Amino acid sequence: MDEQQTPVQQTPTTAQQLPVEPAPKRPMNLRLLGIIGFGVFMSGIIIGLLFLSWTPKKSTATVQTTAVSATPTPLFTGHGPSYIATQSAFLDIKTTIASISASIDTTTMTDTGIKPPTLDLPLGFTAN
Amino acid sequence: MNNKAFLPVLFFLGIIFSLFPVHIHASSTQAYQDYLFQFDGYRTKYNNFSVAKTEYLKYKTLLSETTALDTTESMMTQRSQLLVSYLKFLTEKVNENKGLTDGQKAQFNTLIADETTFLKNHLTKIAAVTSITDATAVSKELESHYSSFQTIVRQVIVGLSLGDLSFLNNQYKTAQTSLQQVVLMNTSHVSPQKQETIDRWVNQITNKETSYQQAIDAITVNNIPSPKNVNNTDFDGLLTNAQTNLNTAKKQLSDGTSYMKELINLLQYQE
């Protein structure tokens, strides 16, 4: 009987089995870790895709804001119209000078049509 | 409503004007056309005269003499009519000129009228010609008078150009005065440095007018010869010389106007 109890006294075997107990828990953790990791991976991909898909919208938005905030560049930097430029007297004289300039250009001093006719005056009856 | 009522009236007036077209031509244009017509006639009659003269000088027959006399009379008549039509053209040009004063116009018209009178008397003498000797004698009257004719014609031609320039110069002076007034209006709105530039440019515009006047004086004094002091051969050279000086005077006005445009641009914008 004692002999039969001997194997019963082998508690260390049960004690040895203690560290074996977590063994079935490892696949559960791994699965959890795998699931979590997969979830993180997928969410990273999704976030990445979302980021990529959102980037153009952000760029157009910035363009719009710059377009609205842009200020017009003056045509003559530092040389805008003067005080006199809008006065009627100034506008009149400007037109007058343009008209005189055109008149001078069209007036000719060498009008060939006005020259007198060229004539052979002597009759040439040399016998007389 | 009023506009609609007015439309039939306009339509009616349009029909009237289309039925009776009014051709508005300057008198000088009509006179020039007549002058060209007379010139064509002269060329034809001169050719006929040349052929008949050659035949007469060659054959000395009665028939060739008669033909030569007829064509000579015809050519001389046409020649005088050509010169009369040319003087008529010049008269119209003088009357239309905007720059000549009434006194200058009257002076030129008197000179032209004297020449016309001479030519009309000449025509009367041509009609009385009975021989080639008579024709030669009558023709010589015109030949000896032609220097005076040429001088007067060129005086008128130069005078017309002077009138044209005078008209332009009057416009130039008016613009110059107006521009100076505009410059005065603007004085308080520009910096002293810019005002200094403006004043200098205004002076240069004034100087151009002075240079113009000097060129005109040179033409008036030197380029219009006295009829007694000029040979036939000098006329074209004198006219060309006068026209060169006229162009010099015109260039002063042209340069001055360009300066005015530059001044306008300077005044137009701020510093």
Side-chain angles (χ1 to χ4, degrees):
Chain A
M1 283 288 284
D2 290 336
E3 283 182 355
Q4 285 179 351
Q5 283 178 351
T6 339
V8 176
Q9 282 177 354
Q10 287 176 350
T11 50
T13 53
T14 53
Q16 280 175 355
Q17 285 174 355
L18 281 173
V20 182
E21 278 178 2
K25 286 182 182 175
R26 278 181 188 168
M28 283 298 287
N29 290 336
L30 281 171
R31 275 181 199 162
L32 272 171
L33 282 170
I35 289 166
I36 291 165
F38 181 74
V40 169
F41 177 71
M42 288 302 291
S43 61
I45 288 173
I46 290 165
I47 289 166
L49 286 171
L50 284 171
F51 177 78
L52 286 172
S53 66
W54 274 96
T55 306
K57 286 182 180 175
K58 284 181 179 176
S59 65
T60 50
T62 50
V63 168
Q64 282 176 352
T65 50
T66 48
V68 170
S69 63
T71 52
T73 310
L75 190 61
F76 299 97
T77 311
H79 296 277
S82 65
Y83 157 77
I84 201 79
T86 52
Q87 303 292 312
S88 62
F90 178 81
L91 296 171
D92 287 347
I93 189 64
K94 195 178 169 184
T95 311
T96 304
I97 290 168
S99 170
I100 295 170
S101 181
S103 298
I104 291 172
D105 288 344
T106 53
T107 303
T108 176
M109 297 288 110
T110 50
D111 185 4
T112 51
I114 207 168
K115 278 188 177 179
T118 306
L119 304 175
D120 287 328
L121 289 175
L123 295 180
F125 288 106
T126 50
N128 290 298
Chain B
M1 191 66 187
N2 286 334
N3 288 338
K4 283 180 182 175
F6 198 63
L7 280 175
V9 178
L10 282 175
F11 182 71
F12 177 73
L13 286 172
I15 289 172
I16 294 292
F17 279 115
S18 64
L19 286 173
F20 302 99
V22 181
H23 296 289
I24 299 167
H25 287 298
S27 296
S28 69
T29 310
Q30 286 179 332
Y32 187 65
Q33 291 304 317
D34 182 50
Y35 162 63
L36 292 178
F37 176 76
Q38 297 292 342
F39 209 161
D40 282 343
Y42 169 73
R43 282 197 196 96
T44 306
K45 288 182 177 177
Y46 188 85
N47 287 338
N48 295 340
F49 154 76
S50 292
V51 170
K53 182 180 78 175
T54 306
E55 285 198 7
Y56 166 68
L57 291 174
K58 189 174 179 182
Y59 302 111
K60 295 280 185 182
T61 60
L62 290 174
L63 180 62
S64 64
E65 184 181 4
T66 304
T67 309
L69 180 62
D70 289 346
T71 55
T72 302
E73 275 187 61
S74 178
M75 183 276 291
M76 286 171 67
T77 303
Q78 186 62 34
R79 184 172 68 185
S80 293
Q81 283 173 350
L82 167 66
L83 294 175
V84 169
S85 70
Y86 175 73
L87 291 173
K88 172 71 177 164
F89 166 56
L90 279 188
T91 304
E92 297 300 339
K93 290 291 279 185
V94 167
N95 293 337
E96 287 171 10
N97 195 285
K98 292 175 184 173
L100 293 173
T101 62
D102 288 344
Q104 288 170 322
K105 285 182 182 179
Q107 191 185 348
F108 286 133
N109 281 333
T110 302
L111 290 172
I112 293 169
D114 288 347
E115 289 305 306
T116 307
T117 303
F118 171 85
L119 289 167
K120 286 189 174 171
N121 288 335
H122 184 66
L123 276 166
T124 312
K125 288 178 182 174
I126 292 167
V129 161
T130 53
S131 67
I132 287 174
T133 309
D134 284 350
T136 303
V138 171
S139 179
K140 279 189 175 167
E141 285 182 15
L142 178 63
E143 290 164 32
S144 60
H145 182 78
Y146 207 58
S147 297
S148 172
F149 176 88
Q150 295 264 50
T151 306
I152 285 160
V153 160
R154 276 155 180 81
Q155 272 184 306
V156 175
I157 290 172
V158 173
L160 286 169
S161 293
L162 285 168
D164 288 339
L165 282 179
S166 174
F167 178 69
L168 291 174
N169 186 48
N170 287 338
Q171 288 183 314
Y172 182 95
K173 284 197 285 192
T174 306
Q176 194 183 344
T177 308
S178 302
L179 194 55
Q180 281 170 342
Q181 285 168 354
V182 165
V183 166
L184 282 174
M185 282 167 64
N186 198 42
T187 306
S188 58
H189 299 275
V190 294
S191 68
Q193 289 83 5
K194 186 170 179 179
Q195 188 59 45
E196 197 180 316
T197 307
I198 290 169
D199 291 341
R200 195 168 60 248
W201 289 15
V202 167
N203 280 339
Q204 284 181 278
I205 290 164
T206 309
N207 289 344
K208 282 290 169 190
E209 208 278 321
T210 309
S211 301
Y212 160 82
Q213 203 55 57
Q214 286 169 349
I216 292 295
D217 291 344
I219 296 163
T220 311
V221 172
N222 299 322
N223 291 1
I224 298 182
S226 163
K228 290 174 185 174
N229 300 331
V230 179
N231 298 320
N232 263 341
T233 50
D234 295 324
F235 289 122
D236 284 334
L238 285 166
L239 186 60
T240 306
N241 190 31
Q243 282 172 337
T244 304
N245 290 327
L246 286 164
N247 276 319
T248 305
K250 184 190 154 187
K251 191 174 182 311
Q252 303 305 317
L253 292 183
S254 182
D255 290 349
T257 313
S258 295
Y259 288 176
M260 284 187 195
K261 282 181 182 174
E262 283 191 78
L263 182 55
I264 285 287
N265 281 333
L266 184 68
L267 293 169
Q268 195 165 1
Y269 300 108
Q270 291 173 359
E271 295 156 67

